[in-house]
Amino acid sequence: MSSAQVSSTPLSSAQVSSAQVTSEKEAATSSTGAARVREKGTGFVLSWKFLLLVLIGIIMIVPARRYALPIPSAFALEPYRVAVALIVALIVVAMLTDRGFRWQRLTFGGLVVFYLVTQVISIGVNVPGLVDEGLAENAVSSLGSVVLISAVFFVVRMLSTSESVIDSVVSFTVVVGAFIGACVALERVTRVNVFILFANSLPFLQATSLEESEFIKQGTARAFGSAQHPIALAVFLCMLIPLAIYQSRHARWPVQLANRQLFWLGCTLCLGVGMISAVSRTGFVMLGVMTIIFIMMRPSAISRLLVFGIPALALAFVVSPRNMLSMLRELTNPSALIESQLTAPGMTGSGRLADLGPSLQQASVHPIFGTGLGSRITTGRQANAFILDNQLLSTLLESGILGVIGVIAMILVPGIRLLALARRTNAAERGLSDRQRDLALATGIGIIGYFVALFFLDAFLFIQTFLAFFLLLGIGSWAASQQTRYRAVPASVQAIPVGAK
């Protein structure tokens, strides 16, 4: 054992001698001694885990882009922005003053930085044009917003110091997601958005957005919950379904297997019902792709998938039979579906495919670096572009081919790598436990599902889904980092006499 490994926990000589007979894997998945002392001394409310869960709660519950703190500033002080900035500042202070607070390996961090660099380059190359069009301030604001949102990845990874913290994060995220799904189903029936009512009741929040509060599709009311739009809600809830299925097998509570599967099955159904209440084809396309990947990665788990899938499908037809039949007809009739996406080119509400040709022609003028991040404004009085419902296409116009490469590197590459880590063949060589491989699978599938959604909505404009992606990336980064730890040490660690070099 190296000196760095011995000093990672502040143990006495006798304790070190005893601890050295345990495997490195057990040591890697336990909390550091300093973290335990802090939690015992200050209590859960003042712990890092509590701050992390509060941030996740704010991201999931407070309606995005609708409320801010009533404090004058150059930009809206939305709750998630304040929480992220505060926790990042606390982490920096802790790293400078607390020897027990250690830097965590940011697996995938380089890919996030690469994406951010592509956005900076797109602005730098287009400074003259942005200034001439009066868009320089919007470009800087857009860059600052992207940096702050991506900081969620940094926060989640830095505070995920043990498997216990990860278990709490995953459990809390799924339970809150299930609560949102249940509330959304209620909204679908009553047209009462409990999240808007909750935010309106808080005296320290003020409404800042004129975004729509009612969405209708083919005469059917669509719920949107705490999201900005029904499609964003469907994408958000769909991203959490793999984590709910993971919990049915690996959650530490309930202890009894039957009760555990029943509870997390209920959470999965709530997520599914919430997704259906959004009345969005995008969610079903995501779910279909994610299901195919799961079957390919875990063919022996088809029976468990049916246990979750059949009740969810039956409940979907009970909740909204007309919409389910309508979406099935659309998805099974490709020609009609394509035709519907070719309507009204160049107009608000145009079909996704109708904008493809004109957008590619526009992108050919600035193919490499685009017109600069923040150059396309799709809402408000300064709007100068249409919503394309295709994030990759929007990125191509703003940041060029370089920006698209950055998006692919940041989202698709980690998803594929996590799926590779989740493979059961040659699992011993990767050194991951069954729990960690399944966690890598759940986060990888969720991230791949999000990448699929990029083709059907301007995903980065919908803050909650973008934040949820970085939450999943942080959890996946923890799972991937365990492989790095286990490769660095032999499978068995021999006891080393105290004082030996």
Side-chain angles (χ1 to χ4, degrees):
M1 180 178 294
S2 67
S3 59
Q5 292 167 335
V6 172
S7 63
S8 63
T9 54
L11 303 176
S12 65
S13 298
Q15 289 173 313
V16 170
S17 178
S18 175
Q20 285 170 335
V21 299
T22 62
S23 70
E24 181 68 18
K25 184 175 294 188
E26 293 173 347
T29 57
S30 65
S31 300
T32 63
R36 290 181 177 180
V37 170
R38 286 197 301 274
E39 290 194 9
K40 290 181 180 180
T42 61
F44 174 70
V45 174
L46 298 180
S47 67
W48 290 110
K49 183 194 295 186
F50 176 76
L51 289 178
L52 180 54
L53 297 184
V54 167
L55 173 62
I56 295 173
I58 291 174
I59 290 172
M60 299 182 71
I61 292 177
V62 179
R65 300 289 296 270
R66 294 178 183 271
Y67 296 91
L69 299 179
I71 301 175
S73 64
F75 53 88
L77 293 177
E78 295 183 62
Y80 83 87
R81 290 180 173 178
V82 176
V84 171
L86 178 61
I87 296 177
V88 168
L90 291 175
I91 289 174
V92 172
V93 171
M95 291 181 60
L96 295 175
T97 61
D98 185 356
R99 293 184 178 180
F101 192 95
R102 299 187 180 277
W103 178 267
Q104 304 296 318
R105 183 179 180 87
L106 299 178
T107 307
F108 309 136
L111 299 176
V112 175
V113 172
F114 174 70
Y115 165 73
L116 295 176
V117 169
T118 65
Q119 303 310 296
V120 172
I121 293 175
S122 75
I123 293 176
V125 171
N126 291 282
V127 166
L130 293 171
V131 172
D132 291 342
E133 296 292 332
L135 298 172
E137 182 178 349
N138 189 66
V140 174
S141 175
S142 298
L143 180 62
S145 179
V146 170
V147 170
L148 191 64
I149 291 172
S150 64
V152 170
F153 163 74
F154 172 77
V155 169
V156 172
R157 182 62 193 96
M158 287 297 296
L159 300 187
S160 297
T161 56
S162 68
E163 195 166 71
S164 173
V165 175
I166 286 293
D167 288 343
S168 298
V169 167
V170 174
S171 298
F172 182 77
T173 301
V174 173
V175 169
V176 175
F179 169 75
I180 293 173
C183 291
V184 165
L186 178 65
E187 178 188 347
R188 169 74 173 75
V189 176
T190 65
R191 299 196 181 184
V192 175
N193 189 312
V194 297
F195 303 99
I196 297 294
L197 293 178
F198 169 71
N200 287 337
S201 67
L202 298 177
F204 53 85
L205 289 182
Q206 66 178 12
T208 60
S209 174
L210 298 178
E211 293 195 27
E212 295 179 78
S213 58
E214 185 175 15
F215 298 88
I216 305 294
K217 182 177 183 179
Q218 298 177 349
T220 301
R222 307 171 70 185
F224 63 94
S226 56
Q228 295 165 248
H229 190 277
I231 299 178
L233 172 70
V235 171
F236 171 68
L237 294 179
C238 194
M239 292 170 68
L240 303 182
I241 289 177
L243 290 180
I245 297 176
Y246 162 83
Q247 286 291 92
S248 70
R249 184 183 182 194
H250 295 293
R252 302 187 186 278
W253 183 91
V255 177
Q256 294 185 348
L257 177 61
N259 292 338
R260 180 168 67 245
Q261 291 184 338
L262 183 62
F263 177 80
W264 296 107
L265 172 61
C267 290
T268 306
L269 291 178
C270 287
L271 291 169
V273 170
M275 187 195 76
I276 294 166
S277 299
V279 192
S280 169
R281 291 187 297 255
T282 301
F284 282 92
V285 173
M286 278 183 64
L287 191 59
V289 173
M290 291 161 64
T291 301
I292 292 173
I293 294 175
F294 179 77
I295 293 175
M296 292 174 60
M297 296 295 299
R298 296 287 189 272
S300 61
I302 293 180
S303 59
R304 188 164 80 250
L305 184 64
L306 293 176
V307 169
F308 284 82
I310 293 177
L313 187 61
L315 188 58
F317 275 97
V318 171
V319 172
S320 185
R322 187 181 69 173
N323 292 321
M324 286 296 299
L325 290 173
S326 176
M327 280 189 283
L328 284 176
R329 283 195 297 267
E330 291 178 344
L331 293 174
T332 54
N333 188 350
S335 60
L337 183 60
I338 293 174
E339 184 178 352
S340 69
Q341 298 302 310
L342 291 171
T343 59
M347 300 175 62
T348 302
S350 60
R352 292 177 174 89
L353 296 179
D355 295 323
L356 184 59
S359 297
L360 291 176
Q361 184 176 4
Q362 183 181 352
S364 65
V365 180
H366 305 279
I368 306 300
F369 305 108
T371 55
L373 177 66
S375 60
R376 301 182 73 255
I377 303 176
T378 57
T379 58
R381 297 178 179 179
Q382 296 180 330
N384 60 9
F386 294 120
I387 294 177
L388 300 176
D389 285 332
N390 186 324
Q391 183 58 54
L392 292 176
L393 191 57
S394 297
T395 300
L396 178 64
L397 290 173
E398 280 198 333
S399 307
I401 296 174
L402 182 63
V404 173
I405 294 174
V407 171
I408 293 174
M410 182 178 68
I411 301 178
L412 186 59
V413 172
I416 293 175
R417 182 176 173 187
L418 286 168
L419 294 183
L421 290 176
R423 290 181 296 110
R424 286 178 173 171
T425 55
N426 299 324
E429 296 179 3
R430 294 188 296 279
L432 297 180
S433 68
D434 192 43
R435 289 173 58 90
Q436 292 160 351
R437 289 197 304 273
D438 284 351
L439 182 60
L441 177 64
T443 53
I445 290 177
I447 289 173
I448 295 294
Y450 182 66
F451 182 79
V452 171
L454 299 187
F455 292 92
F456 302 100
L457 80 163
D458 288 297
F460 296 176
L461 294 180
F462 296 116
I463 304 302
Q464 190 183 54
T465 61
F466 205 14
L467 292 166
F469 159 70
F470 284 111
L471 170 60
L472 289 182
L473 191 65
I475 297 172
S477 175
W478 178 87
S481 69
Q482 304 311 297
Q483 179 199 29
T484 305
R485 287 186 180 185
Y486 302 153
R487 279 181 172 178
V489 296
S492 60
V493 180
Q494 300 295 327
I496 303 175
V498 176
K501 296 184 179 179

